[in-house]
Amino acid sequence: MSNIYKALQERILILDGAMGTMLQAYKFTEEDFRAERFKEYPIPLQGNNDLLSITQPEAIKTIHAKYFEAGADIIETNTFSGTTIAMADYQMEDLVYELNYQSAKIAKEVADEFTAKEPHKPRFVAGSIGPTNRTASMSPDVNDPGYRAVTFDELRIAYKQQTEALIDGGTDLLLVETVFDTLNAKAALFAIEQVKEERNIEIPVMLSGTITDASGRTLSGQTAEAFLISVSHIPLLSIGFNCALGANLLQPHLEAIANKTDFAISAHPNAGLPNAFGEYDESPEEMGEQIEEYLKKNLINIIGGCCGTSPEHIREIAKIAKKYKPRKVNTLNAVEKPLQK
């Protein structure tokens, strides 16, 4: 674990890019999602990307390897929807432990291969913990503002199960990402702290929120600085933002927190904003130019890509990041004591 703290002091770390975009290129059919094991499953499974860690493990392994080859230091497990809450859409709640365990195991195998080849550049696996498809802070029913589709405790239990499986599978750190509702994130962080205490272990935790629109706020209404303050009681490795915006639009929000925390700062923006067809057009060079502005302003420690990004984007970002020193951060201090206001 100390390796990642050491690496953060030495260089800007590169996170991988999108998993979904890469999987789309395979054009997997319903039959591919099912494979032999789920051949007779009663409901459609196409679109359940997390399931591919079980039914198409070679594809997942290949994608991880491509990101490492492009220069990534950290890859994310294929577990963005790996909770009982999100898996209820596919009636696969009972499969959650296996999905997370297998995803972590696959990623760790690839990471170990690359670390063995280049011991001077250890590779890390981040267990991806997504936001679920429900929100604890807001009602999904405009006619009943007090209604909640999920409780804090339901989220905590679901996240705890996911966390345990990711750790058992061999992840080096945990990434609570695409946070649109801070209460959901707090349930995840609480669950992680519970697991750490029960197992008497330490594991680094990255936290990444998402600014949903031009208002500069998360969906649950917080500005970047408010988001930072509301989670700074937790010992985090890093805090930052991903998804929703392209690199240039994300920059002001990184500036808002970069000088207000001891934590490392992470960012994995989209390849611009989606076009009329929901596709991302920003080239690696265009995205790289925008991300270089982060580096010139000394805003970040960990940088990668979200929707629409590919190994080519990560290769360009890694090439640019090599030219810059990482933002100074006392990582051990940040883990030991929270933000002092």
Side-chain angles (χ1 to χ4, degrees):
M1 187 178 82
S2 61
N3 274 357
I4 195 154
Y5 299 126
K6 186 166 175 282
L8 270 174
Q9 304 280 11
E10 293 170 351
R11 64 186 189 276
I12 292 162
L13 297 185
I14 307 299
L15 192 64
D16 62 4
M19 175 62 77
T21 320
M22 296 292 286
L23 287 171
Q24 281 166 15
Y26 280 86
K27 295 185 166 50
F28 285 131
T29 63
E30 177 70 29
E31 288 67 36
D32 295 323
F33 273 85
R34 288 171 177 267
E36 195 57 39
R37 179 170 166 187
F38 301 101
K39 202 171 183 180
E40 305 301 326
Y41 211 75
I43 63 168
L45 298 177
Q46 194 169 8
N48 185 357
N49 284 350
D50 293 28
L51 182 63
L52 295 172
S53 293
I54 292 174
T55 57
Q56 301 292 337
E58 285 308 311
I60 304 300
K61 197 175 274 194
T62 300
I63 292 167
H64 287 325
K66 282 181 177 174
Y67 279 122
F68 276 141
E69 283 162 2
D73 297 283
I74 306 167
I75 54 165
E76 301 165 61
T77 55
N78 179 39
T79 53
F80 186 80
S81 301
T83 56
T84 48
I85 292 166
M87 280 294 145
D89 288 354
Y90 297 97
Q91 298 172 19
M92 284 192 155
E93 296 95 323
D94 293 346
L95 212 64
V96 159
Y97 183 89
E98 186 184 352
L99 279 173
N100 285 280
Y101 180 85
Q102 287 301 334
S103 295
K105 189 164 166 281
I106 288 168
K108 187 63 176 167
E109 282 169 9
V110 183
D112 286 348
E113 283 169 25
F114 276 83
T115 300
K117 281 191 278 188
E118 299 177 290
H120 65 282
K121 187 183 176 181
R123 305 310 213 281
F124 305 97
V125 173
S128 172
I129 298 175
T132 83
N133 48 9
R134 298 186 197 172
T135 168
S137 290
M138 293 166 286
S139 171
D141 183 355
V142 291
N143 298 312
D144 186 0
Y147 172 72
R148 296 293 180 270
V150 70
T151 67
F152 183 90
D153 212 43
E154 286 167 344
L155 286 164
R156 178 192 64 80
I157 291 163
Y159 282 130
K160 188 165 186 268
Q161 185 182 5
Q162 183 177 27
T163 298
E164 288 168 339
L166 287 168
I167 292 172
D168 290 349
T171 54
D172 303 296
L173 55 150
L174 298 167
L175 169 57
V176 181
E177 63 167 313
T178 323
V179 174
F180 60 80
D181 182 344
T182 309
L183 195 55
N184 285 37
K186 286 190 171 191
L189 295 170
F190 187 75
I192 291 166
E193 291 303 307
Q194 272 193 308
V195 175
K196 282 162 63 177
E197 192 175 330
E198 285 172 10
R199 298 188 176 201
N200 193 25
I201 59 167
E202 279 301 326
I203 185 162
V205 179
M206 295 173 65
L207 179 67
S208 184
T210 189
I211 301 293
T212 48
D213 56 32
S215 70
R217 294 172 182 268
T218 63
L219 193 64
S220 55
Q222 287 184 315
T223 61
E225 189 179 354
F227 174 64
L228 166 67
I229 292 165
S230 68
V231 295
S232 61
H233 59 293
I234 295 285
L236 298 171
L237 175 76
S238 69
I239 188 163
F241 297 101
N242 74 289
C243 206
L245 303 174
N248 58 341
L249 295 173
L250 194 58
Q251 185 171 321
H253 309 299
L254 296 170
E255 289 173 354
I257 63 170
N259 64 352
K260 296 184 176 75
T261 182
D262 274 343
F263 302 147
I265 301 287
S266 75
H268 50 297
N270 292 346
L273 294 174
N275 62 25
F277 303 102
E279 293 164 348
Y280 295 84
D281 301 324
E282 206 162 78
S283 71
E285 293 72 25
E286 288 168 328
M287 191 175 180
E289 273 177 33
Q290 294 169 35
I291 280 172
E292 189 157 14
E293 294 303 311
Y294 297 0
L295 306 173
K296 286 176 183 172
K297 294 190 173 186
N298 201 27
L299 296 178
I300 51 167
N301 304 90
I302 303 170
I303 182 71
C306 203
C307 304
T309 57
S310 65
E312 288 69 37
H313 289 83
I314 298 307
R315 185 172 282 107
E316 181 68 18
I317 291 166
K319 188 176 79 180
I320 292 165
K322 270 185 191 164
K323 301 188 290 185
Y324 293 86
K325 287 188 164 59
R327 168 182 167 273
K328 286 287 177 204
V329 58
N330 186 346
T331 49
L332 292 173
N333 190 43
V335 167
E336 284 163 7
K337 72 179 174 78
L339 177 76
Q340 301 297 311
K341 287 298 285 178

